[in-house]
Amino acid sequence: MFSLLSGCFEFLLRKEELKVLIIGLDRAGKTTLLERLKTLYTDVPGLEADKVLPTVGLNLAHFEALGAPLLCWDVGGAAGLRGIWSKYYGECHALVFCVDAADRGRLEEAKAALDRALGDRDLYGAPLLVLCNKHDCEGAATPAEVAEALGIGKLADAGRATSVQAITAKTGEGVKPAVQWLVEHIKKSQRPELIRRRMLGA
Ligand SMILES: Nc1nc2c(ncn2[C@@H]2O[C@H](COP(=O)(O)OP(=O)(O)O)[C@@H](O)[C@H]2O)c(=O)[nH]1
Ligand SMILES: [Mg+2]
């Protein structure tokens, strides 16, 4: 009886895990970012960039940042795998769209993939963080250039919390400010309440 009561008490006090879905085209650096998050925020270092393999299924990272427990989902970005992304839309608190800023030739394809994702009603109200990865590469597109190419201005006008930031997943540069933005904007958004209500069937 005591263990049942203490289990219930623990459940009620447990902080809600903030779920972040990381999507983007294949080779944008999503898995390298996930492994960097493990290295920065946990005691178990993630894989170095040169050990990361192409993703077919799903990779996960659990960690705590700014007092909040986070769960990040990294799903494969190859054209044939993008259909799986939508399975995670309903449950995620925020969306990270990772872009290879060094590959300007694929920005149009990235815009089409992002537009398609944001057209899904299950992502209603979810803060969007666009990460311009590979900032270490010479000639990489700046956040302003990526924002222009992806048409991000319109999203912010439509009321979605949105930010476009440069990172280098390989070294971790820019990753902590990105996580800070996510935690702050998830907490400010209606998303946790919306997901809670959906889970209760309200
Ligand atoms: N120069 C550079 N290369 C990166 C960076 N992040 C990832 N890469 C490389 O980009 C390629 C694709 O990375 P990966 O994480 O597998 O991309 P994913 O398909 O989006 O998961 C790999 O060769 C990585 O080493 C970065 O910040 N800088
Ligand atoms: Mg991957």
Side-chain angles (χ1 to χ4, degrees), residues 26-27 29-32 52-56 59 74-77:
D26 49 298
R27 299 198 56 79
K30 301 179 295 298
T31 308
T32 305
V52 168
L53 296 171
T55 308
V56 177
N59 299 310
D74 154 40
V75 274

Side-chain angles (χ1 to χ4, degrees), residues 128-149:
L128 168 70
L129 176 60
V130 176
L131 293 178
C132 313
N133 189 31
K134 309 196 188 181
H135 193 56
D136 56 315
C137 293
E138 213 180 302
T142 63
E145 287 172 321
V146 171
E148 172 74 25

Side-chain angles (χ1 to χ4, degrees), residues 9-95:
F9 196 58
E10 208 174 283
F11 177 78
L12 289 172
L13 287 183
R14 200 168 54 188
K15 282 192 210 158
E16 186 180 18
E17 200 164 39
L18 307 182
K19 300 187 184 80
V20 176
L21 176 63
I22 305 173
I23 59 169
L25 302 186
D26 49 298
R27 299 198 56 79
K30 301 179 295 298
T31 308
T32 305
L33 169 62
L34 194 85
E35 296 300 324
R36 184 55 50 194
L37 288 167
K38 291 180 193 168
T39 302
L40 289 173
Y41 291 100
T42 73
D43 297 334
V44 185
L47 294 173
E48 283 305 318
D50 58 353
K51 299 273 183 326
V52 168
L53 296 171
T55 308
V56 177
L58 169 76
N59 299 310
L60 297 175
H62 287 273
F63 58 94
E64 183 148 335
L66 304 150
L70 273 95
L71 166 61
C72 291
W73 289 314
D74 154 40
V75 274
L81 301 173
R82 289 176 210 159
I84 304 165
W85 295 354
S86 61
K87 304 275 177 269
Y88 299 89
Y89 291 164
E91 269 191 76
C92 73
H93 291 94
L95 186 69

